[in-house]
Amino acid sequence: MTEFTFVHAADLHLDSPLLGLAGKSAEYAARVEAASREAFDNLVALAIDEGCRFMLLAGDIFDGDLRNFQTGLYFMEGMRRLDEAGISVFMVLGNHDSANRFADKLSLSGNVQVFPKTKAATHRLDDVGVAIHGRSFPRPDVSEDLAREYPAATEALFNIGVLHTACAGSEGHHARYAPCTPEQLTNHGYDYWALGHVHAHAVLGEHPHIVYPGNLQGRHPRETGPKGAVLVKVNDGRVTSLEHRALDVVRWASITVDVSGTSEHPELLDLIRSHIAQGAEQADGRPIALRLTVTGTTPLHSKLILERTAFREDVETLLATLSDDVWLEKLRLETAHPEAPDAVDPTVAGKLDQEVTRLSQDNAIAQVLEARLAEIRTKLPAGAHADAFIEQMRAEIPERAAALARSLVSEAGHAPD
């Protein structure tokens, strides 16, 4: 009876920047820069600690063109540690690796087998009765179905396919490279498909197992929740255990707080605090990069819009009381005023509020705003950051103007007609 354990990982994206965070502080920038390497170290330690016979890497080990050749050397050192522990490594190159000048030129230790780019190949581990099949991307933009050309299953062995692919139903925000379907993989005759490319952990099938481990370290606000690798135990040719192990170092969290019904600022902050505290508990002690969205209908809407900077400072102060390891990556305000009564308020305040609504829909006002924004744009440096700044202003200026007018409406409501 043959029993063995292996670890399946993908999308390491070593030294990939965690987008949007490095400018927070010098100390935090250093922690962010090291996150992908520390997650990789956690992967190597997991394989050694669990006594794995081999490791599968299903593509995108690197993040496009290496910014620093030290990244390649760091990966090589990790492979050497696995070699010393008697752990073999089988890897395919994904779309990001194929865009990399160094990925297929690294002098890797003898325990590492990189599948060829020309056609699918097979490696056998006869001591545990395993056949591992795979093919690397020949170029970054592979649109053909690579899985269709994988070898037939080797009889009497536990067959594994290592494939970088956007398998149907799991593409998400990822380009549709090397497309295939779960049904196609199921019918190929293998016992386990080790997939990569999609950054969310997913099990697409169990007979056989068709698995995405997700990436090792979340890189932006859409990649929330635990990130890591899959630990697989096999006994007598059958998967007996499949466990996702969290290996990430910095965790992204996206929290939405509905503040409907709150009318006092301290009450609103207490509600936000409770939601964030729950999110922090789910991070298992890891630093959190937080995207906070505040929604709902509240009389505080105008005050929040007018005093957005002060509100952000209040939230950051709140975070500091919860933990030193929660950073506010972005604050989104999506609140609204309570609905006005159906009847038009005949007072000065009511008429002014009605006029605010009319002006916010006036095309002439919109044209003046666009002209002013165009003037501001000419004074900014070229690039995506400036474009994003202009877009933010375009969205906020009308709402800020309306909020100011409505605050005057509130005061005018107490004045005689």
Side-chain angles (χ1 to χ4, degrees), residues 3 232-235 238-242:
E3 186 175 5
V232 184
K233 296 183 184 297
V234 178
N235 191 349
R238 185 173 60 88
V239 173
T240 57
S241 173
L242 188 148

Side-chain angles (χ1 to χ4, degrees), residues 22 42-43 79 104 126 152 230 246 334 355 367 377 381:
N42 291 341
L43 173 65
M79 296 299 98
D104 56 357
D126 290 325
V230 172
E334 298 179 359
E355 184 67 8
Q367 291 174 6
R377 184 66 182 84

Side-chain angles (χ1 to χ4, degrees), residues 33-44:
E33 185 176 354
S36 66
R37 290 194 182 193
E38 291 182 29
F40 172 64
D41 287 340
N42 291 341
L43 173 65
V44 172

Side-chain angles (χ1 to χ4, degrees), residues 111-133:
N111 62 319
V112 181
Q113 301 293 333
V114 181
F115 284 97
K117 297 180 177 181
T118 52
K119 65 177 183 179
T122 301
H123 292 287
R124 292 174 57 136
L125 290 173
D126 290 325
D127 61 317
V128 288
V130 172
I132 304 173
H133 317 275

Side-chain angles (χ1 to χ4, degrees), residues 21-88:
L21 295 180
K24 296 298 179 182
S25 70
E27 181 269 339
Y28 188 47
R31 296 179 68 175
V32 165
E33 185 176 354
S36 66
R37 290 194 182 193
E38 291 182 29
F40 172 64
D41 287 340
N42 291 341
L43 173 65
V44 172
L46 173 67
I48 294 172
D49 293 345
E50 293 292 339
C52 291
R53 175 61 182 86
F54 56 91
M55 175 185 291
L56 305 176
L57 297 177
D60 283 0
I61 286 79
F62 303 108
D63 190 50
D65 200 12
L66 280 177
R67 300 170 184 81
N68 185 345
F69 189 64
Q70 295 299 317
T71 305
L73 297 179
Y74 198 85
F75 177 72
M76 290 165 58
E77 172 60 20
M79 296 299 98
R80 185 192 62 77
R81 297 200 307 273
L82 293 173
D83 191 17
E84 291 178 349
I87 300 172
S88 301

